[in-house]
Amino acid sequence: MRTTIPTTGNPVMDELRARRLVAFLQISFLVIALFHLNGPFLSFHYERQNQTFDTACHVFNEGWSAVLAPKTSFSLPGYEARPFTVVRQEFPFHGVLGWPLVKVLGHAAAVVRVISIIFALGSISLLYLILRQWLAPSMALTGTALWSFSPLLLHFGQVPMPDILCTTGMLAAFWFALKNNLPASSGSFLFAVLAKISIIVFGLPVLTALL
């Protein structure tokens, strides 16, 4: 059964109502994501989360030198004796963006999660805006709701992994491409590639076709 929101016959009012419901979706996601914010990483991908968290901690501890050469620790028993010894081929966005917050507030594990949450919230807005290019407010809202509570977003949107940063960057690149804003689209695509380089194989052909 197709989900719709009541229409008023006024396109402006329908759009306003849909955007309010998008905000409600974001608030709902935020409430879920903030649960156990400062806890350990225990999901199936905890090893990968620990590595991204380590690259962020490398930035927190060593500053700009760690941005240029991000490293992580061996996530094995006794790795504490050899911290930051493995070079990671990714830009440490969680470390760079979370650095000021960690300096002021501490709680590094919570801060890196907050970075992912912020990008997840941004992806919800961007997806709605993109869908509105072709769909009515009610249908764009339906698609956005499916994304907001999808297992992918509920997981990657609240853990320190680069996937949600990459996804949001690609959505922004797609949105700006639709608006014929080449500099902003290119910048967003570069951000996505720095977050997760494998996206270049899938994203570049799409953006090339749009632009």
Side-chain angles (χ1 to χ4, degrees):
M1 184 175 66
R2 190 169 69 180
T3 302
T4 60
I5 60 174
T7 60
T8 64
N10 185 330
V12 175
M13 291 300 296
D14 291 341
E15 178 68 23
L16 180 60
R17 182 174 295 178
R19 292 201 179 211
R20 286 174 177 170
L21 289 172
V22 169
F24 175 76
L25 291 174
Q26 291 175 305
I27 293 171
S28 300
F29 175 85
L30 182 62
V31 170
I32 296 170
L34 290 178
F35 178 73
H36 209 44
L37 185 65
N38 207 30
F41 309 129
L42 299 175
S43 76
F44 181 74
H45 294 91
Y46 75 93
E47 180 73 10
R48 187 66 183 84
Q49 295 171 42
N50 283 334
Q51 291 174 357
T52 300
F53 180 53
D54 259 359
T55 61
C57 288
H58 190 212
V59 175
F60 300 155
N61 292 338
E62 299 190 21
W64 287 111
S65 63
V67 175
L68 299 175
K71 295 180 181 179
T72 185
S73 305
F74 285 110
S75 298
L76 298 170
Y79 79 89
E80 295 86 355
R82 295 185 295 173
F84 308 129
T85 53
V86 181
V87 177
R88 293 293 307 175
Q89 299 300 316
E90 66 181 56
F91 189 85
F93 280 117
H94 284 85
V96 172
L97 298 175
W99 192 358
L101 290 175
V102 169
K103 292 299 182 183
V104 174
L105 303 174
H107 302 289
V111 166
V112 294
R113 280 190 168 106
V114 167
I115 299 301
S116 291
I117 291 169
I118 290 172
F119 277 87
L121 294 173
S123 74
I124 294 173
S125 292
L126 284 167
L127 183 62
Y128 176 78
L129 292 173
I130 291 170
L131 292 176
R132 278 291 289 122
Q133 300 300 297
W134 299 283
L135 302 175
S138 60
M139 295 307 298
L141 177 65
T142 301
T144 305
L146 291 174
W147 168 247
S148 300
F149 297 107
S150 66
L152 188 149
L153 187 67
L154 288 173
H155 176 62
F156 289 110
Q158 54 180 316
V159 297
M161 291 175 65
D163 302 72
I164 190 59
L165 278 67
C166 176
T167 299
T168 305
M170 281 304 303
L171 286 171
F174 194 76
W175 166 248
F176 287 122
L178 290 173
K179 294 298 181 180
N180 295 315
N181 190 333
L182 178 58
S185 181
S186 301
S188 299
F189 181 64
L190 177 60
F191 175 89
V193 170
L194 287 174
K196 197 172 181 70
I197 195 169
S198 58
I199 194 64
I200 194 170
V201 178
F202 308 100
L204 189 58
V206 175
L207 292 179
T208 301
L210 285 172
L211 295 170

